[in-house]
Amino acid sequence: MSVFDTIVMVDWAGGNDRGPTPKKDAIWAAVNHDGVAEEPAYLRNRQVAEEWLSNLLEQETARKRRVMVGFDFPFGYPAGFAHALTGSNNPIDLWHWFEERIEDAPDRNNRFELAGQINRALSHGHGPFWFCPPGQEIEGLPATKNGYRNPFPERRQSEARAKGAFTCWQMGGAGAVGGQVFTGLPVLARLRRQFHAAIWPFDALDREVAFVEIWPSLTVGTAPDGMIKDAWQVTEVARQVAALSPERLAAMLDVTAPEEGWIFGLGFEQELAAPPLRNDCFALPPGVHWTLVDEALTMLRDRLSPVTGFETVRLGAALGRIAAADVRARRSNPALPNTAVDGYGFAGARGEGVHELPLMPGRAAAGDAPGEVPQGHAIRILTGAALPAGVDTVVLQEDVVRDGERIRFSGPVRQAANTRKAGEDVAVGETVVAAGRRITPADLALLSATGSADLDVRRPLKVGVLSTGSELVEVGAVAADGQVYDANRPMLLGMISRFGHEGVDLGRLPDHREAIELRLNEGALACDVILTSGGASAGDEDHVSALLQEAGAMSLWRIAIKPGRPLALGLWRGKPVFGLPGNPVAAMVCTLIFARPAMDLLAGADWSVPQGFEVPAGFSKRKKAGRREYLRARMRDGRAEVFASEGSGRISGLSWAEGLVELPDQGMEVTPGDMVRFIPFGSFGV
């Protein structure tokens, strides 16, 4: 049983009370309820942290919610240490041993003194622990690692595989976990008794509360500017774990390490980690005032990368999902040489003239296990049947005369006629679906034929949609003079669904800076990317672009495009934000041209270029140089018609149209019959 309702991640600390002001080296904790993250909690010392955890677990268990709590310190020591100290290999006995001996108060604890006592008691005074605080001398505890002898392995098996792992024998210094273990295990021992918690990987996870060892540094990168690293890491790890499917979570928890323990996610780092985007990923080169469409698309393609995690799904649930890795054929297709026709099989070619062969009893049909046919004999064989041993050629039944137990036919018949080779379509080990491909019904047929019952896919991209503007009202409400109904949000959510992503409705807000900032914070916790409409330019009420600018990760791209032009691009708490124009026509065109391929890339799919077709124009137009233009269009009688008005306020043109006519950056004059590029909405996936 591995389904949890609440994920908690705790970054522990072994030092003294840090005071009421949040500090980067204190204890931080994050909670994720059903995929929705809370703000990280600052816990100034271990006593506060234990009380906070106890209260949280009481609340969650009272609601019958299963909770998984991750801690960033080892749950066990290298093999042999527990037995040397307690006489038992059971690591939980070691927890109780520490609980009985650790003295811990907000201003001090005895972790260094206890480490020295252990060293003196083990192996003739040679113990495993080292690091004495500067200016102190503690009997039995070396100040440095130099010259000391360790009677135990330097690292646990999991730590040997974890890049950059510190040994648990180091009691202090940068990155050390030794002090965290000494002070953390007693707290876990008490909470374990209080809530009858299961300890992974020592216990079966069949209880309401489970404690798991997780190291955020394995999967979490650099924190966004202005956010404390530990606070960011616990929030991100809780999000990563909460996003796992039950099957993937169960696979990561399927570990046997009865004495030393294990680090959750080890070996699955790439799957858990979403590569962070750079704060300058949307920055334009100095001096750029206008950006051509092709240049903007190239910058997006080169600077964005997938942000979604991985999960394993059954083949029947894979339609429309994005392959997370290359899928190789587990079985050749065909698996064995077989016949392409109904007829009679034998070995070798036959030349000119009449040939007569004795017939074997029975027949070979599709699904039969291949038998064997002696040299010089033939067998009745049906389409799709595997070729029996001794058969490599088939003659059509229409070309054969059967006389009792013999057949006659006229040559010539070439060797291997009317047969298929094993692996003729796909050989075992060949790539049948490449990473980044969105699975189609045809892919399901190929994957089934080559033996894939399940496959690794990307999690759906969660795209938040936020409308801003004091003039907007919700559809169904009474619109006062000067107000308009919010048309963008339902349009964008519908487009996102058609693109194959998961839309998250972030609602509609007036032009209030504080409200927009709060909603962006909420969206960054719940979504992978955010689309806003309105407030993306540089006016007094354009709060989206102003907030992104102040966050230090925003560029206002003035793109040479009609309709459109201003497009605010930035990062908010590490999540990409596309600030679309408020006009619905411009918002739709910018979404199709820029946001759609960018979101595909963020979702883990290949960069997509819409398929256009050169068709005769059914309209006239004189176009100035300098901007790429997209006209609402449809095909009628083999020609592209365009909407009567180019006004971007004419929303009816979007519904009228079946696609876009794309006119190049250069100036041109279009007359009826000239060839123009028509891109059907279907090429965009809508």
Side-chain angles (χ1 to χ4, degrees):
M1 186 175 183
S2 58
V3 178
F4 294 93
D5 306 296
T6 300
I7 305 296
V8 183
M9 181 63 214
V10 182
D11 184 284
W12 202 251
N16 294 337
D17 191 313
R18 266 58 174 191
T21 303
K23 304 293 196 305
K24 64 180 183 179
D25 56 351
I27 299 174
W28 286 91
V31 181
N32 193 298
H33 296 287
D34 299 314
V36 179
E38 295 183 357
E39 286 291 322
Y42 168 68
L43 307 171
R44 58 189 290 178
N45 57 49
R46 288 171 298 282
Q47 291 70 35
V48 170
E50 183 173 353
E51 182 179 3
W52 183 89
L53 283 165
S54 178
N55 291 337
L56 174 68
L57 293 175
E58 280 185 0
Q59 294 170 9
E60 295 296 292
T61 54
R63 297 166 58 197
K64 303 298 182 185
R65 294 174 61 84
R66 299 193 72 234
V67 188
M68 182 174 121
V69 189
F71 295 88
D72 70 332
F73 56 82
F75 284 9
Y77 280 89
F81 179 72
H83 189 275
L85 210 59
T86 69
S88 167
N89 291 326
N90 185 346
I92 303 302
D93 291 340
L94 191 60
W95 290 24
H96 298 316
W97 192 95
F98 278 110
E99 182 188 7
E100 292 171 356
R101 291 164 176 80
I102 277 289
E103 299 170 4
D104 195 5
D107 57 342
R108 75 169 309 276
N109 60 64
N110 67 337
R111 65 187 189 277
F112 296 114
E113 291 82 0
L114 184 58
Q117 293 174 22
I118 295 172
N119 282 351
R120 296 196 305 271
L122 293 177
S123 190
H124 306 291
H126 297 291
F129 296 105
W130 60 275
F131 184 89
C132 189
Q136 296 187 35
E137 289 187 9
I138 297 176
E139 185 181 359
L141 185 62
T144 68
K145 192 177 179 181
N146 294 332
Y148 100 118
R149 287 183 289 171
N150 189 349
F152 306 104
E154 188 67 16
R155 285 177 169 80
R156 299 180 297 162
Q157 293 185 43
S158 59
E159 290 163 353
R161 292 178 51 182
K163 185 178 180 180
F166 278 71
T167 173
C168 55
W169 308 123
Q170 182 179 345
M171 291 300 297
V177 297
Q180 296 180 32
V181 181
F182 273 46
T183 59
L185 291 184
V187 173
L188 296 194
R190 289 189 289 271
L191 291 173
R192 173 179 178 268
R193 281 196 304 274
Q194 183 180 355
F195 296 100
H196 190 55
I199 312 301
W200 179 84
F202 311 135
D203 301 321
L205 299 185
D206 54 1
R207 306 171 198 170
E208 287 187 322
V209 176
F211 294 162
V212 177
E213 178 185 339
I214 304 179
W215 292 16
S217 57
L218 287 180
T219 61
V220 178
T222 305
D225 290 344
M227 191 169 184
I228 292 176
K229 176 184 175 182
D230 291 346
W232 161 252
Q233 286 191 335
V234 291
T235 303
E236 186 65 6
V237 168
R239 181 198 65 79
Q240 290 174 349
V241 177
L244 292 171
S245 69
E247 294 79 13
R248 296 311 298 155
L249 179 58
M252 295 183 190
L253 292 170
D254 186 14
V255 170
T256 301
E259 181 179 351
E260 294 187 339
W262 198 259
I263 305 167
F264 175 85
L266 192 61
F268 298 90
E269 292 90 342
Q270 182 181 3
E271 180 172 346
L272 284 165
L277 300 176
R278 305 187 310 272
N279 271 353
D280 63 349
C281 66
F282 295 125
L284 293 174
V288 172
H289 299 290
W290 287 96
T291 304
L292 297 177
V293 170
D294 289 340
E295 292 175 356
L297 291 172
T298 298
M299 284 190 286
L300 288 173
R301 184 185 61 207
D302 293 345
R303 298 178 182 185
L304 297 179
S305 57
V307 298
T308 51
F310 298 66
E311 63 180 347
T312 301
V313 299
R314 301 295 294 174
L315 192 61
L319 183 63
R321 302 296 295 275
I322 298 168
D326 289 350
V327 182
R328 301 187 182 279
R330 301 178 184 178
R331 192 173 193 248
S332 295
N333 184 49
L336 296 170
N338 63 61
T339 175
V341 300
D342 291 341
Y344 295 87
F346 47 84
R350 294 295 187 271
E352 298 284 349
V354 176
H355 302 275
E356 185 172 324
L357 293 173
L359 194 61
M360 293 287 295
R363 67 177 189 177
D368 290 346
E372 185 172 356
V373 176
Q375 182 68 29
H377 287 67
I379 190 170
R380 172 70 169 150
I381 192 165
L382 304 180
T383 302
L387 299 182
V391 173
D392 59 17
T393 303
V394 176
V395 63
L396 284 164
Q397 66 179 19
E398 294 88 347
D399 296 335
V400 171
V401 174
R402 181 170 178 172
D403 183 8
E405 300 305 315
R406 303 184 71 81
I407 60 170
R408 293 195 306 276
F409 57 92
S410 297
V413 177
R414 63 177 176 80
Q415 188 174 16
N418 301 312
T419 64
R420 306 185 185 102
K421 297 178 181 178
E424 176 177 284
D425 179 24
V426 178
V428 65
E430 285 186 14
T431 298
V432 290
V433 169
R437 179 177 173 87
R438 195 176 290 276
I439 305 299
T440 67
D443 294 331
L444 295 180
L446 181 58
L447 290 163
S448 296
T450 53
S452 290
D454 48 40
L455 66 156
D456 293 333
V457 296
R458 290 276 184 177
R459 289 189 301 102
L461 186 75
K462 293 183 178 180
V463 183
V465 177
L466 172 64
S467 288
T468 66
S470 296
E471 75 280 11
L472 299 177
V473 294
E474 201 72 18
V475 175
V478 177
D481 293 343
Q483 292 185 316
V484 295
Y485 291 118
D486 182 7
N488 283 346
R489 214 165 83 249
M491 176 185 72
L492 293 172
L493 287 168
M495 294 173 72
I496 289 163
S497 176
R498 295 295 291 269
F499 294 154
H501 309 309
E502 182 179 324
V504 179
D505 190 350
L506 297 179
R508 169 188 51 82
L509 292 175
D511 291 317
H512 293 164
R513 176 189 175 90
E514 293 76 14
I516 293 173
E517 182 175 10
L518 178 60
R519 192 64 52 85
L520 287 174
N521 288 339
E522 295 169 351
L525 291 172
C527 305
D528 301 308
V529 59
I530 298 173
L531 301 187
T532 70
S533 62
S537 191
D540 293 344
E541 297 297 336
D542 290 320
H543 297 301
V544 171
S545 55
L547 286 166
L548 290 173
Q549 187 71 54
E550 291 178 14
M554 196 286 279
S555 286
L556 187 64
W557 289 18
R558 296 191 179 276
I559 301 173
I561 184 175
K562 179 183 178 181
R565 290 203 285 188
L567 186 65
L569 299 171
L571 294 182
W572 187 263
R573 292 183 175 251
K575 303 298 176 66
V577 178
F578 287 76
L580 302 169
N583 183 288
V585 177
M588 182 173 184
V589 170
C590 285
T591 298
L592 292 176
I593 303 303
F594 303 110
R596 179 195 60 88
M599 288 190 295
D600 279 349
L601 208 58
L602 293 167
D606 297 326
W607 179 266
S608 53
V609 177
Q611 178 67 54
F613 304 91
E614 296 297 316
V615 300
F619 62 95
S620 299
K621 177 178 172 60
R622 179 174 293 175
K623 176 192 174 296
K624 296 180 180 180
R627 286 199 290 174
R628 179 91 43 101
E629 293 192 18
Y630 291 91
L631 309 178
R632 287 152 282 176
R634 65 184 184 185
M635 292 297 298
R636 289 296 182 271
D637 299 323
R639 293 187 172 213
E641 297 180 351
V642 298
F643 191 57
S645 170
E646 293 183 17
S648 57
R650 297 287 294 273
I651 303 175
S652 60
L654 294 175
S655 181
W656 174 91
E658 297 168 348
L660 301 174
V661 160
E662 181 184 56
L663 300 181
D665 305 330
Q666 300 80 14
M668 64 183 302
E669 185 168 348
V670 180
T671 59
D674 290 346
M675 302 303 286
V676 294
R677 186 170 189 249
F678 174 71
I679 310 173
F681 284 147
S683 292
F684 293 107
V686 296

